Amino acid sequence: MATERNIRTNFGFYPPENNGAAWGATLEGLERVLREAFPEPRLKYRKSGIHGMTVLDYEVQLSPEVWVYGTAAMPDPNYAYIALTDVTVDEAAAFAVWLRDSFVPAPHLVRFASSLAMENGEEAPRQLPASGGQAEIRDTMRSYLAPFDD
C-alpha cells in the first residue's frame, strides 16, 4: 500500500485575486480571534525586515502536541496574507479550516499557495474549498503539491 509523504513546506493564505480588501481584516482583529480560538497563543508584533511593515508573528496549538508558527501582514485594506512556516499538509489543512470558518467573512474568500510549488514554477494561488472539512482541504493541498513532491 502506498503512503503519502508528509513533506513540510510553507503555506500562504490570501484574499481573492483583485479583491485584497475582501477579508476586511486587521492584525489587531486577527490577534483577537487567535486569542479566542487557541489556548495560550504566542503573539508578537514586529517590523518586517523585508518590507518594513508591521507583521504579527504567531504560534498556536492546533492539538495537544501540534503547534504551528506563522506570520501575518495586513498593512492596508487592500492587502493581506497569513502564512504558516514549515508545516505538513495536515497541519496546514487544520489551520485552513479554522481560518476559513472563523476568521474570514465568507468561506469562498481564501486562496492558498505553497513555497514548494512556487519554487517549482507554480505562480498562481489556488482556491481553498469553500465547504468540506479538514480531509477535503488536505486532499486539495496534496493534489496541488503532487507535481512537486519528488
Side-chain angles (χ1 to χ4, degrees), residues 6 21 46 48 63 66 73 88 91 114 126 140:
N6 212 8
R46 68 176 170 84
S48 168
S63 63
V66 177
T88 66
E91 293 163 351
S114 162
R126 293 260 178 101
T140 298

Side-chain angles (χ1 to χ4, degrees), residues 6-13 30 34 37-44 56-72 82-99 134 141:
N6 212 8
I7 61 169
R8 299 187 82 79
T9 184
N10 301 329
F11 278 92
F13 300 97
L30 177 61
L34 288 169
F38 298 100
E40 301 180 36
R42 296 177 186 142
L43 306 167
K44 180 181 178 183
L56 176 64
D57 291 331
Y58 62 91
E59 188 173 13
V60 296
Q61 186 176 18
L62 294 178
S63 63
E65 295 188 19
V66 177
W67 287 79
V68 295
Y69 172 80
T71 300
I82 298 174
L84 294 173
T85 303
D86 194 33
V87 292
T88 66
V89 171
D90 291 330
E91 293 163 351
F95 185 84
V97 168
W98 171 82
L99 178 70
Q134 186 175 340
M141 290 176 159

Side-chain angles (χ1 to χ4, degrees), residues 10 13 36 47 49 76 88 131:
N10 301 329
F13 300 97
E36 292 170 0
K47 196 64 105 172
D76 67 55
T88 66
S131 62

Side-chain angles (χ1 to χ4, degrees):
M1 166 170 58
T3 59
E4 294 276 343
R5 274 188 351 120
N6 212 8
I7 61 169
R8 299 187 82 79
T9 184
N10 301 329
F11 278 92
F13 300 97
Y14 311 92
E17 187 173 17
N18 301 320
N19 191 3
W23 291 358
T26 64
L27 288 180
E28 293 79 13
L30 177 61
E31 175 190 5
R32 181 182 43 76
V33 175
L34 288 169
R35 287 189 188 283
E36 292 170 0
F38 298 100
E40 301 180 36
R42 296 177 186 142
L43 306 167
K44 180 181 178 183
Y45 288 94
R46 68 176 170 84
K47 196 64 105 172
S48 168
I50 298 173
H51 301 293
M53 67 180 84
T54 300
V55 298
L56 176 64
D57 291 331
Y58 62 91
E59 188 173 13
V60 296
Q61 186 176 18
L62 294 178
S63 63
E65 295 188 19
V66 177
W67 287 79
V68 295
Y69 172 80
T71 300
M74 298 170 199
D76 67 55
N78 293 313
Y79 178 75
Y81 78 82
I82 298 174
L84 294 173
T85 303
D86 194 33
V87 292
T88 66
V89 171
D90 291 330
E91 293 163 351
F95 185 84
V97 168
W98 171 82
L99 178 70
R100 181 195 68 191
D101 296 348
S102 300
F103 183 66
V104 300
H108 68 284
L109 298 177
V110 182
R111 295 178 307 143
F112 74 94
S114 162
S115 60
L116 175 65
M118 294 176 81
E119 289 166 3
N120 286 283
E122 180 63 48
E123 294 180 17
R126 293 260 178 101
Q127 183 68 39
L128 195 71
S131 62
Q134 186 175 340
E136 290 83 1
I137 290 177
R138 181 197 62 225
D139 292 346
T140 298
M141 290 176 159
R142 282 190 176 153
S143 171
Y144 168 74
L145 291 177
F148 317 110
D149 183 18
D150 293 336

